[in-house]
Amino acid sequence: QVQLGESGGGLVQPGGSLRLSCAASGRTLSHYAMGWLRQAPEKEREFVAAITGSGDITDYADSIKGRFTISRDNAKNTLYLQMNDLNPEDTAIYFCAAKFTSSTRVRVTDPSAYTYWGQGTRVTVSS
């Protein structure tokens, strides 16, 4: 069992930055592919970024590529999402998620494939 807890959300002006964190407990994360997903009001949950258990391979949604960076520190059991140049379309609840994988080089981009989810942290981009 893995417990996930996000932090770092808030209100930011367009063009601003935020860094989200996801603290994990219950298991060592090196064999868990992890990701960030988001859900905007009245929209379905969508993939944002994914990272392998080893942390050396990442994947991003086209809408945030070049602005967001996913990273992880397995020693601290923590996942991060650095978000730069935010715009109002990035307003959403952001979730971190994890899935056990037999290989440390698997990344998961399908939201429905994740097993464990955090409760989410709200990001609002507005002037």
Side-chain angles (χ1 to χ4, degrees):
Q1 191 76 7
V2 175
Q3 293 81 41
L4 303 173
E6 303 92 337
S7 61
L11 173 64
V12 62
Q13 292 187 343
S17 298
L18 281 175
R19 188 193 196 202
L20 306 183
S21 298
C22 173
S25 61
R27 289 288 187 271
T28 301
L29 290 186
S30 58
H31 272 280
Y32 286 81
M34 298 192 73
W36 288 97
L37 304 103
R38 68 186 182 185
Q39 187 164 16
E42 301 182 357
K43 292 188 177 180
E44 292 189 354
R45 196 168 295 187
E46 65 175 1
F47 166 73
V48 175
I51 190 167
T52 56
S54 58
D56 58 348
I57 303 174
T58 57
D59 206 349
Y60 296 95
D62 289 341
S63 60
I64 58 86
K65 201 170 291 185
R67 300 188 296 122
F68 292 10
T69 302
I70 188 172
S71 61
R72 65 192 295 165
D73 186 337
N74 286 342
K76 296 182 178 179
N77 262 14
T78 304
L79 177 74
Y80 303 99
L81 184 69
Q82 177 66 43
M83 305 187 295
N84 298 328
D85 193 23
L86 285 159
N87 60 62
E89 289 70 38
D90 296 316
T91 294
I93 298 175
Y94 285 72
F95 300 88
C96 67
K99 176 181 173 60
F100 179 83
T101 58
S102 56
S103 167
T104 60
R105 300 182 64 77
V106 172
R107 59 196 187 277
V108 178
T109 60
D110 179 1
S112 66
Y114 282 101
T115 309
Y116 303 101
W117 292 80
Q119 81 286 351
T121 185
R122 185 177 300 273
V123 172
T124 303
V125 185
S126 175
S127 55

